[in-house]
Amino acid sequence: MPANRIALVTGANQGMGRQVAKKLAADGVAVYVGSRDLARGEEVAARIGAGATALRLDVTDTASIAAAADQIRTEAGRLDLLVNNAAISTTRTGPFAMVDRRALARVSTAPLDEVRGVWEVNVFGVLAVYQAMLPLLRQSPDARIVNVTSALGSLTLAADPRSGLRSSFEPIYSASKTALNAVTLAMMIELEGTDIKVNLVSPGFARTALVNFEGTESVEDAAREIVRVASLGPDGPTGTFTTWDGVPLPW
């Protein structure tokens, strides 16, 4: 492992995570490509090239998370950057149109197993990875955590009758991101006064599997704020919540 900055990107075998890993590696960061399926991670790491290392990481499996932390500890001894990107919008497999996802997510009828399944990845998975990687982040002189969320999780926007996002607020995906925002705020509070910085980013509505490729932005454009915030130096801000184009978002 090179002696330069060391990063872990979860869910990096496709979509937004893959783009973030690619850009970080291009900037000279040694990136662990977190992937539930190691073979897919190895394929992506090979395409990215120098600086990318596949890492088996299932954020819903504590043994997998512990093994990933052990591998990073053995190979690198520390972690400088953690990008919690892994997320799902449904537990359903295969093509699943957004209109059908919205119908499934009505608060009066949303299947509880679907709610639990999405929250297991989007909320509990992030918390589990944070807890496992925090000792490694503490070994860095310039550590940063970037949690990837969604503007749909903003309670301020959901409560505003004038907001275009209000009608899309639901208990499966949107509320999971609200919970993630709350967990992120707890991280920010816990790490106040330390050298570890925490930022929250809502990327653009990208054409990825998360939204059945129905997004309006390219992955490159949508991921740029994640990459920018992840690349901030020790004098960069902490505690921010921004959109894909760098605009502050209300909690």
Side-chain angles (χ1 to χ4, degrees), residues 18-31:
R18 179 172 60 196
Q19 176 64 18
V20 171
K22 176 182 175 181
K23 290 294 292 181
L24 291 175
D27 290 339
V29 177
V31 182

Side-chain angles (χ1 to χ4, degrees), residues 20 45 56 139 152 204:
V20 171
R56 184 183 180 278
Q139 297 302 310
L152 289 171

Side-chain angles (χ1 to χ4, degrees), residues 64-183:
S64 168
I65 296 169
D70 285 342
Q71 181 176 335
I72 296 173
R73 184 178 297 106
T74 299
E75 295 178 353
R78 73 178 195 277
L79 188 62
D80 302 305
L81 173 62
L82 171 60
V83 181
N84 283 307
N85 164 79
I88 59 173
S89 57
T90 179
T91 63
R92 304 305 197 261
T93 58
F96 193 42
M98 290 299 293
V99 64
D100 295 325
R101 298 187 196 194
R102 294 189 184 100
L104 177 73
R106 292 191 185 98
V107 68
S108 56
T109 57
L112 292 183
D113 62 339
E114 179 77 354
V115 177
R116 291 189 182 101
V118 171
W119 282 53
E120 190 67 40
V121 176
N122 296 1
V123 184
F124 304 125
V126 172
L127 182 56
V129 171
Y130 167 80
Q131 292 177 348
M133 300 299 166
L134 185 56
L136 290 167
L137 290 162
R138 292 192 187 278
Q139 297 302 310
S140 169
D142 175 23
R144 186 175 295 276
I145 300 166
V146 181
N147 289 343
V148 181
T149 185
S150 169
L152 289 171
S154 167
L155 286 178
T156 300
L157 293 177
D160 184 354
R162 299 165 299 177
S163 171
L165 298 179
R166 178 182 172 91
S167 62
S168 297
F169 192 79
E170 39 73 24
I172 301 178
Y173 178 76
S174 299
S176 79
K177 292 301 186 178
T178 302
L180 172 60
N181 295 354
V183 168

